[in-house]
């Protein structure tokens, strides 16, 4: 189903740290603080954050941007060797993008109770009716990922 | 839920004709023949087709490209007045994008038995748990939309 190599908990912790830094950058810019990185063969090939407000692009979620960058880097839309690491459980669009890109592994931080599509409302990563399934590791540094979002929305009120 | 004005069957038929022309253009380029247009207040603001192979971008499905163009045209990611017209029932990524863009109405042609997310495998357009729902009109010029796909894959064999 995937040829993604074994990734240690320490590695996932470290990569989530990069995604958290991206999420913080988004918050500084007034964007909902969500960040994502894509890793291929141990190399971080893209780091992005939510840019929806600045760009006015409905698809400018961190995951979509990071996966598009990773595809440009790889020269193909097929990212079966890629691991996507994101601070919030992906929404239907972003989970669908991970599926469309045939990613090998998705690692997410905080659960997305409102729109999560990798375990909460849907699980697009593990539907045998679809032509691709992939690994999911949930809850990596969840408290830190969640705190960024809670603080952002608390300050806005 | 939406302020999209009444659209007649004749209008939907005509707009699907534009989407079909886009789908045909995709097929000519060796792309899976799927086309989409976005209409706002009766004006066709974007016309796109699948460009996944040419661009190597996993998100370069007709619907995503057409919605991004429509958002650029509108200057906002919120497309609640928009109608998306597409030859094939959207996949999870594209249905998720229509949700993320808060579209008012999606019109699709052929059913997508393998990955349809507006009625077949999922219905992301009508899930009360999500923060936006929208109208769907299914099966407009379905035979023509389907024939393009069948002919494309038959020739490839």
């Amino acid at each position: 189903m995937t040829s993604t190599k074994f990734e240690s908990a320490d590695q996932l912790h470290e990569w989530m740290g990069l995604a958290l830094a991206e999420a913080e950058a988004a918050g500084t810019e007034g964007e909902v603080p969500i960040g994502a990185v894509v890793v291929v063969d141990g190399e971080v090939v893209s780091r992005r954050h939510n840019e929806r407000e600045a760009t006015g692009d409905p698809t400018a979620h961190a995951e979509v941007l990071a996966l598009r960058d990773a595809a440009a880097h790889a020269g193909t839309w097929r990212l079966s060797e890629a691991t996507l690491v994101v601070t919030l459980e992906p929404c239907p669009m972003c989970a669908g993008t991970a599926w469309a890109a045939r990613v090998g592994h998705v690692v997410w931080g905080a659960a997305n109770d409102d729109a999560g599509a990798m375990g909460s409302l849907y699980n697009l990563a593990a539907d045998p009716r679809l032509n691709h399934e992939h690994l999911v590791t949930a809850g990596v540094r969840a408290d830190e990922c969640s705190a960024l979002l809670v603080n952002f929305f608390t300050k806005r009120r």
Side-chain angles (χ1 to χ4, degrees), chain A:
Chain A
M1 191 160 66
T2 171
S3 57
T4 301
K5 289 162 202 76
F6 177 75
E7 294 159 332
S8 71
D10 282 355
Q11 278 183 318
L12 301 188
H13 190 276
E14 181 190 328
W15 293 332
M16 188 61 83
L18 301 176
L20 276 161
E22 286 292 327
E24 282 176 18
T28 307
E29 296 165 12
E31 304 277 356
V32 177
I34 302 167
V37 303
V38 174
V39 182
V40 178
D41 280 337
E43 182 197 355
V44 178
V45 298
S46 59
R47 313 178 184 206
R48 296 296 294 266
H49 57 260
N50 181 22
E51 296 179 3
R52 189 179 64 171
E53 303 305 327
T55 62
D57 180 348
T59 73
H61 289 197
E63 303 96 309
V64 170
L65 297 172
L67 287 168
R68 293 183 66 205
D69 280 2
H73 181 270
T76 171
W77 58 266
R78 277 186 190 274
L79 298 175
S80 41
E81 306 293 321
T83 295
L84 169 68
V85 182
V86 54
T87 56
L88 181 68
E89 180 189 356
C91 77
M93 174 175 72
C94 293
T97 302
W99 163 75
R102 313 286 195 269
V103 299
H105 188 186
V106 175
V107 180
W108 55 257
N112 183 343
D113 295 332
D114 295 329
M118 275 189 203
S120 290
L121 302 192
Y122 299 97
N123 192 349
L124 294 172
D127 183 339
R129 301 171 303 175
L130 294 173
N131 65 356
H132 177 72
E133 296 182 88
H134 59 81
L135 300 174
V136 173
T137 303
V140 174
R141 302 180 73 166
D143 289 350
E144 292 164 86
C145 294
S146 176
L148 274 181
L149 289 160
V150 170
N151 291 341
F152 180 81
F153 287 112
T154 304
K155 275 185 196 157
R156 278 205 155 176
R157 261 184 224 124

